Each structure stands twice: as structure tokens, then as C-alpha cells.
């Protein structure tokens, strides 16, 4: 039986890749999940594992070829014919030897997701010498977007930790080694040890074809480029970095003093009472993205206030029935999400983004809901919120919020948002100016509901009021559009029947 090996999903907005390296040849034995080849996109390098055990058949896409998503890469002949073959690849591919022999298994960094190339080892749950079961959690990695748990690929004993806590590792790094109890395990380490020794004596690794082409065009030799790929392989992005470093050494050195500005002196009596804690990768990314948003977009904020009387009355009237029927509490977020989706239809530029010299209008609403977690701010995305019911929105917000607090959100759940709602009111904020979440062009800030005296039909009455703030990118959204959007949100909340009548 022949099994097809196809190009996996490459990530958002990535439609093609270049076959950089094949680790197997036709006729080689392969195990399940053993690495077959490496694909290179314009953002990340993607490794393609074997979908089944068997013998490598035909390689359809050779090294250097450009392939699209789901394109056929190769075929594998599944069956028992793979048994005698592992001896040959053991000398060529040391990484395959331990898995084939059953002696030791390398614990590698799992797929980190689109545009994520490195992670920091935050916590080891096991120590050297501990017994581990298959799929038991070994450690936790922290990226600039999410935390990733690393399970044990096999049962055995944790023999070595190669990346201790605090170490920054790339997407292809080895984290640890698990030794098994199989009787044939003894010769495997010797073979594995011999191969790296040979590898260290000289670089016997082919560079990525796209890198070779880029070096030829730039007039660089392999000695002038530092490779970051597997076994020191030079990738296309390595050449780009080398070219950039050679072309602009002076500008790169000029801003360095500002970035490394020394900290102001601290009084001796205060120094002993300070505590220095390294920023997490998530916090570093939040800081960078927020600053980038301020530097890139022309951010302006407009304000309004909304009388929450009708929404609160409607919620109080139906909240018990709503929870009984749908199994989730009726909150304010579903009303605001519905109101924003309603307003975005009338002012579509608030739901658009700038791409170079083009404006990309989104004919759908993927609503980002900012959530504060112990690790920092994250923005899970509720997809197609404009077509969801109140109950579906409340369920999605509750589920995403729990996953955010538990650090279980995947990168896919935080990508693709077209507009964001941030509720600072849950912390008691009365008014604020939210910062855009690039590349989005608008973000609505909700705030604390506070009783205030208002003039209603010539009479002073106490009403539950909330300030609303819309921050928008003035490059794409004019003042008229921003004010119109906020007024439509206000109207929908002060008279929720407008949502039902689509007014």
C-alpha cells in the first residue's frame, strides 16, 4: 500500500514553500513521525514528518523545487519491508538511529507555529533519572505568543537534559534524551556518538538550495555566512542577514547606544531593596508590538458615553432563562460584540487594514477580545462573530477566556482578528485610550459602569453610564467614520431592539 506525503499547512498567508533538504532517499526505511524533508517558506522552516512506517518510495518534489500547500512530495510503501534497512541510515542520519534501535529517543522542540523560530525553556517537570511514561509532560516552553508543553515521545528514563531552564532554543533544537529499556539499545549510542564526531570534523551538510542561489547572487561564500539550520545548514534568511550586515554596518551601530542606554544611578540604600526579574518572552513581545503600533499607525482616539439602562434591564429580565437554556451566563460582552458588528457594516474601513499601498476590506468580522492573564495580555479571536448568536458569542468568550487564563491558547486562536474589544471596566477603569492591535485599524475600549446624573427630557435623572473609547488608525479611518461608528454602537446599546431590526 502506497501512502502519500503532502505539504502540510504552512500558516496564515503562506501559500508556497521550497524543498530545502531531503533527509531520506528512495529505498530508505522510515519510522512514523521520522523527519523526511525540510521546507523553507518566506517566514519559517517547516519539517515534514513521515505519516507512516515503511520504505521511502518516489520523491516527487526534488530539492530546490517550489511547491504549494497540499502538493505531493513523495510516496511511502507501507509494510514490513522496513525491518532490515535501519542499519544503513544509521550512519547517514544519526537522529534516526536511536528511534530505530529503541535505545534512546531525542526530545525535540515541537512545532511552535507560524513566524515563531525560538522559545525559552521555562520549567522542567522531570529530572534526570526520573521514569517517564509516553505523552507524560516533560517541560514547558515559553514563546513570545503562547506557552507550549512538551510531552514525552516514548516511555523510558530521562537520561539527559540538554536545554536547562532559562535556555533559549530554536525550532529544531534537542531538549533532552530518553533512554529505553530495550535489549538492543547498547550499540545504538556508540553509532550515534561516532556520527556526531565525524560531523564535527568538517561540515558535511548541504546548504538550502535557495541559500546557495542567494549567496551566488550576493557574491558571498559559505564561510561568510553563519548557518542556523539543521546541523549548521545555511538557510535563505541567514544569507539575507549577512547581506544586510555587510551593506549597513554603520547604521546598525548608530542606534546601539540608545538601545543600551545605562540605567540611572540608584542610591545605595535602595539597591538592596530592589528585585530584578527578567521579562518573559510574552511580555517582551507585548512591549515591542505596542511600541511598534505607536510608531507605525497614526493613532487617534474619539470618545462617547452610553446609557446602559436598557441593556441592563434586558439582561436582568432574561439572564436566568438564558442561562437555563444555553448553559452560559448572559454578560455585557455579547451586546457590545453585536453592536460593534452592526456598526462595522456601516463603517467598513474600521474593519479594514493597510497592506502596502492597498486597503484590504474584510467582509467578515473576526472579533478579538483582549484578556488579561497572569502571563500578560493576550487577544483570542472569535471568528465570524458577525454571524453568531448571543449565546454562541457568550460561550466562545467564556471558553477562550478560560483557555487564556490557563495558558492553553494556540497561536491559531490569536491570529486573524479584524477588530478588537478591550474591557478595562472589569478592573475599575473609568476612561482610557486603548492602543491598536496591528494590523487592525480599530479597537473599542469599554469602561466601568457608573451612576451619574443625566438630563433626560429636561429632568435630572440618575443613569448607569459608561464611557466608550474608539482608537483608530487615522491613515485609513477619517474622523467622520470613527465618530459615526461610535454613535452607532451607542445607539444599538441604548436601544437593543435596533439590533433585532437591523437599524
Amino acid at each position: 500500500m502506497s501512502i502519500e506525503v503532502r505539504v502540510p499547512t504552512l500558516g496564515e498567508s503562506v501559500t508556497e514553500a521550497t524543498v530545502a533538504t531531503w533527509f531520506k532517499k528512495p529505498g530508505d526505511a522510515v519510522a512514523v513521525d521520522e523527519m523526511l524533508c525540510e521546507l523553507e517558506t518566506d517566514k519559517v522552516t517547516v519539517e515534514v514528518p513521515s505519516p507512516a512506517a515503511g520504505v521511502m518510495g518516489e520523491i516527487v518534489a526534488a530539492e530546490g523545487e517550489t511547491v504549494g500547500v497540499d502538493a505531493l512530495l513523495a510516496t511511502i510503501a507501507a509494510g514490513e519491508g522496513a525491518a532490515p534497512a535501519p542499519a544503513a541510515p544509521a550512519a547517514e542520519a544519526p537522529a534516526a538511529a536511536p528511534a530505530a534501535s529503541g535505545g534512546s529517543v531525542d526530545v525535540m522542540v515541537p512545532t511552535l507555529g507560524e513566524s515563531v523560530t525560538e522559545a525559552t525553556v521555562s520549567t522542567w517537570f522531570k529530572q534526570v533519572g526520573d521514569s517517564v511514561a509516553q505523552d507524560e509532560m516533560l517541560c514547558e516552553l515559553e514563546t513570545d505568543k503562547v506557552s507550549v508543553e512538551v510531552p514525552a515521545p516514548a516511555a523510558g528514563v530521562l537520561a539527559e537534559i540538554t536545554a536547562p531552564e532559562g535556555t533559549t532554543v530554536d525550532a529544531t533544537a534537542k531538549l533532552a534524551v530518553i533512554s529505553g529499556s530495550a535489549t538492543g539499545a547498547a550499540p545504538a549510542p556508540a553509532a550515534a556518538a561516532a556520527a556526531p564526531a565525524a560531523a564535527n570534523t568538517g561540515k558535511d551538510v548541504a546548504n538550502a538550495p535557495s541559500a546557495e542561489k542567494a549567496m551566488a547572487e550576493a557574491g558571498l561564500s559559505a564561510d561568510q555566512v553563519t548557518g542556523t539550520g539543521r546541523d549548521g545548514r545555511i538557510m535563505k534568511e541567514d544569507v539575507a542577514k549577512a547581506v544586510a550586515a555587510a551593506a549597513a554596518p554603520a547604521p546598525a551601530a548608530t542606534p546601539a547606544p540608545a538601545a543600551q542606554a545605562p540605567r540611572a544611578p540608584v542610591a545605595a540604600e535602595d539597591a538592596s531593596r530592589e528585585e530584578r526579574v527578567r521579562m518573559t518572552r510574552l511580555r517582551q513581545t507585548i512591549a515591542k508590538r505596542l511600541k511598534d503600533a505607536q510608531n507605525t499607525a497614526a493613532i487617534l482616539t474619539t470618545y462617547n458615553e452610553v446609557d446602559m439602562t436598557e441593556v441592563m434591564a434586558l439582561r436582568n429580565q432574561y439572564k436566568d432563562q438564558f442561562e437555563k437554556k444555553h448553559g452560559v451566563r448572559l454578560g455585557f460582552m455579547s451586546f457590545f460584540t453585536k453592536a460593534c458588528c452592526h456598526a462595522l457594516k456601516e463603517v467598513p474601513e474600521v474593519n479594514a487594514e493597510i497592506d502596502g499601498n492597498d486597503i484590504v476590506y474584510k467582509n467578515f468580522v473576526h472579533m478579538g477580545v483582549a484578556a488579561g492573564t497572569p502571563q500578560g495580555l493576550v487577544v483570542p479571536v472569535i471568528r465570524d462573530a458577525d454571524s453568531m448568536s448571543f449565546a454562541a458569542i457568550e460561550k466562545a468568550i467564556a471558553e477562550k477566556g478560560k483557555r487564556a487564563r490557563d495558558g492553553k491558547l494556540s497561536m491559531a486562536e490569536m491570529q486573524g482578528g479584524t477588530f478588537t474589544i478591550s474591557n478595562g471596566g472589569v478592573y475599575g477603569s473609568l476612561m482610557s485610550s486603548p492602543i491598536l492591535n496591528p494590523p487592525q485599524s480599530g479597537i473599542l475600549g469599554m469602561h466601568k459602569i457608573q451612576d451619574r446624573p443625566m438630563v433626560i427630557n429636561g429632568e435630572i435623572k440618575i443613569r448607569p453610564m459608561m464611557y466608550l473609547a474608539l482608537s483608530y488608525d487615522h491613515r485609513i479611518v477619517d474622523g467622520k467614520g470613527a465618530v459615526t461608528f461610535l454613535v452607532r454602537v451607542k445607539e444599538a446599546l441604548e436601544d437593543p431592539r435596533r439590533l433585532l431590526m437591523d437599524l
Side-chain angles (χ1 to χ4, degrees), residues 436-449:
L436 289 177
N437 183 22
Q440 298 171 22
S441 298
I443 177 172
L444 179 76
M446 296 169 54
H447 300 94
K448 175 184 178 182
I449 300 175

Side-chain angles (χ1 to χ4, degrees), residues 466-499:
M466 176 192 288
Y467 287 116
L468 297 179
L470 174 71
S471 290
Y472 59 98
D473 190 345
H474 213 346
R475 296 178 301 167
I476 182 175
V477 182
D478 294 329
K480 176 186 175 183
V483 173
T484 300
F485 173 88
L486 209 50
V487 169
R488 293 295 176 266
V489 172
K490 170 185 170 70
E491 291 174 346
L493 293 170
E494 292 186 340
D495 185 4
R497 292 172 297 181
R498 298 176 66 93
L499 296 173

Side-chain angles (χ1 to χ4, degrees), residues 1 130 232 277 321 330 346 363 452:
M1 179 175 124
D130 288 354
V277 179
Q321 298 176 49
L330 177 62
E346 183 172 342
N363 299 318
R452 293 204 303 273

Side-chain angles (χ1 to χ4, degrees), residues 368-374 376-380 400-401 404-405 409 421-423 427:
V369 181
T373 71
L377 179 71
V378 294
V379 186
K400 300 284 188 187
R405 291 188 296 273
L409 285 175
I421 298 177
S422 177
N423 186 6
Y427 305 110

Side-chain angles (χ1 to χ4, degrees), residues 89-377:
E92 300 172 9
S101 68
S104 63
V105 178
D106 290 344
V107 181
M108 309 296 290
V109 174
T111 302
L112 299 175
E114 178 191 350
S115 76
V116 181
T117 58
E118 62 180 18
T120 301
V121 181
S122 59
T123 308
W124 276 99
F125 305 124
K126 293 288 185 178
Q127 298 178 350
V128 175
D130 288 354
S131 297
V132 295
Q134 185 169 354
D135 294 331
E136 186 177 2
M137 217 50 65
L138 296 179
C139 68
E140 188 174 57
L141 306 180
E142 186 181 85
T143 75
D144 55 4
K145 294 185 178 179
V146 292
S147 294
V148 180
E149 293 181 332
V150 181
V157 177
L158 188 60
E160 179 186 3
I161 292 177
T162 56
E165 293 182 3
T167 304
T168 298
V169 293
D170 61 30
T172 61
K174 181 168 73 172
L175 298 172
V177 177
I178 295 177
S179 62
S181 56
T183 55
N200 290 335
T201 59
K203 185 176 176 182
D204 191 21
V205 179
N207 298 321
S210 57
E212 295 284 2
K213 180 180 178 182
M215 284 191 292
E217 292 174 350
L220 296 174
S221 66
D223 296 336
Q224 296 173 283
V225 183
T226 302
T228 61
R230 193 186 188 95
D231 299 326
R233 182 181 297 106
I234 296 175
M235 312 303 290
K236 184 178 180 180
E237 55 266 29
D238 299 329
V239 181
K241 290 177 182 177
V243 172
T254 303
Q260 302 293 330
R263 183 174 176 236
V266 179
E269 59 271 19
D270 295 335
S272 61
R273 295 183 290 172
E274 292 182 343
E275 180 183 5
R276 183 181 293 267
V277 179
R278 184 176 177 82
M279 292 173 66
T280 64
R281 295 183 65 83
L282 177 60
R283 175 55 58 190
Q284 292 177 44
T285 300
I286 291 172
K288 182 178 183 299
R289 285 179 61 85
L290 293 181
K291 190 57 184 172
D292 287 346
Q294 287 184 320
N295 294 340
T296 303
I299 301 178
L300 194 64
T301 305
T302 185
Y303 302 92
N304 211 317
E305 59 182 354
V306 57
D307 185 345
M308 296 291 291
T309 301
E310 294 299 325
V311 169
M312 294 176 70
L314 188 63
R315 177 175 178 267
N316 290 333
Q317 182 178 354
Y318 292 109
K319 64 180 182 180
D320 293 336
Q321 298 176 49
F322 186 91
E323 184 173 4
K324 183 177 180 181
K325 179 176 180 179
H326 300 292
V328 64
R329 297 179 64 182
L330 177 62
F332 291 120
M333 286 300 298
S334 54
F335 287 96
F336 278 86
T337 301
K338 280 286 189 181
C340 287
C341 291
H342 177 76
L344 289 171
K345 292 180 181 178
E346 183 172 342
V347 192
E349 59 266 31
V350 181
N351 196 49
E353 67 179 60
I354 294 178
D355 183 16
N357 294 324
D358 299 328
I359 298 176
V360 182
Y361 290 96
K362 309 296 180 69
N363 299 318
F364 53 88
V365 179
H366 290 343
M367 187 66 70
V369 181
T373 71
Q375 293 77 31
L377 179 71

